[in-house]
Structures are given as C-alpha cells and as structure tokens.
Amino acid sequence: MDHTRTLDALAGPGYCLLPPDEVGGRLGADRHRWAEFDRHWDHLVTDPYTEPAGTHRLRRYGHFGMRPGRPAEPRPHGDFLQPEDSNPLYVGKGRAFAPLTGEFTADPLLAGLLDLLAEAAAVLAEPPEWTVKVHPFRVTATGGRGGEPTPEGVHRDGVTLVSSLLVSRVNAEGGESTVYTPSGDPLLSTVLSEPGTLLLGDDRRTLHGVTAVTPGDPDHPAHRDVLVITFATP
C-alpha cells in the first residue's frame, strides 16, 4: 500500500478510495479470504430502527478503545448514541444493537483492518486514545422493495475518521457512495463493487451518503455487505 498517497489524500481533500489490491496487500486478504470473512454477516440480526422506513437492514455493533501502537481493546457494550450535529435521523437517540460475535472480534482480519485505520486516523488527529465503533451491515433488497444503506440521507457521523469497506455484493445493483463538501457539492461518487474496496473520509470536513440497492435479477433477492468503522476522540 502506498501510505503516502493515502495519508496525503486524507489530509488534503478529506477522502481517499483504496482499491482491493492495496487493502488486500496490506491485510493479506484475497477473494477467498474476503468470502471467508463475509460468513460473519450471516449472523447479523435485524435492525429494528430502519423497519418503519421500509428498509430491511441487518447489523451488529461493537465498541473499542485504541491507543497508539497498541491493539484494540473491547469496551463495555451499550446503546449506540450519535452526537449532536451528525446523523439527522437518529441524533440524540440511543439505539440498542446486538453485540459483535466472539468469532468476529477474534478474526485476525478485523485486527489488521483496525491497525490500518488507526494509521489513517493518526493523520487527522493524535489523541491519547481513540474511540472506535465497528458496524457490520447487510442491506437487503427484493424486486418489490429496494434497500437503503443510508435511510437518513446525506449526513455525517460526528466522528474524525469514517470508513466503509465492501465485503460482498450478491445480485446487487446501485449502492453508489458519494462524498460531499459540507455545502453539499459532490467530491467523489463510486460504486464499491469489489470485496476489499475501502473508502475513507475525514468526517469533520465531509458528508456522505449511499443510494438504494436493487436486485440485478428481480426474481431473486439481493444484498450488500459492508463494514463501517469510525474513529473519534473520546
């Protein structure tokens, strides 16, 4: 991985898109390893907070602390609460999600990814400890119902670094990720299509959103599996 290019992009325009060969080269992950990692997504549970809006989304949630040069340390599980001036749909509302499974937290690929993201986050700030939130998502869609990865629309998460890693797409079309300036001008639009593609953003200076997912073959369901990880100062 070209660390200079990654870090310069985050410090400059505030976003960076890393292709699978760069991410996989750093983490030692090929297509087979991503498919193995994706098995954790089969154990996600329904997100009840999106059902009223007509979106079927599955997820889990984990909270870690990370200090420079040290591995991530799990923190007590609790409700997920987003700060003020962030997600307009859920700001100030605590949401209870099922914790990450032990198999997921013990997967070496997750540990490697957290280390990689800690290096990127250090370009943006250098707190004594990071608050790290880990969110595996599966958004499903059928011929009669599209899937909304971001039902809240264009938003920020109220953190320092936000990342989105594509793990799998099955029969899925759409799902275009866009990074915006705070005033709403698009900076980058891309469909994360290959497992291992990683989109990084400085959440303090950008907004982001993802368009709906629809089935390529309307006679069969579709899903899009991503791993969203954020780094924030405590």
Side-chain angles (χ1 to χ4, degrees), residues 37 64 100 104-115 134 227 229:
F37 191 53
F64 298 83
L100 302 175
F104 183 83
T105 57
D107 195 309
L109 195 54
L110 176 62
L113 182 61
L114 290 173
D115 287 342
V134 176
L227 179 59
I229 299 178

Side-chain angles (χ1 to χ4, degrees), residues 158-209:
V159 298
T160 303
L161 176 72
V162 60
S163 70
S164 183
L165 172 77
L166 181 75
V167 181
S168 175
R169 291 172 63 102
V170 174
N171 191 34
E173 293 187 352
E176 183 178 58
S177 300
T178 301
V179 180
Y180 301 87
T181 66
S183 60
D185 297 320
L187 294 168
L188 169 74
S189 291
T190 184
V191 174
L192 306 181
S193 58
E194 293 292 329
T197 308
L198 178 63
L199 180 61
L200 306 174
D202 182 345
D203 193 60
R204 304 165 303 178
R205 296 188 289 136
T206 61
L207 306 174
H208 58 276

Side-chain angles (χ1 to χ4, degrees), residues 24 28 40 45 56 139 148 186 207:
H40 299 300
V45 296
H56 186 57
V139 172
E148 296 287 348
L207 306 174

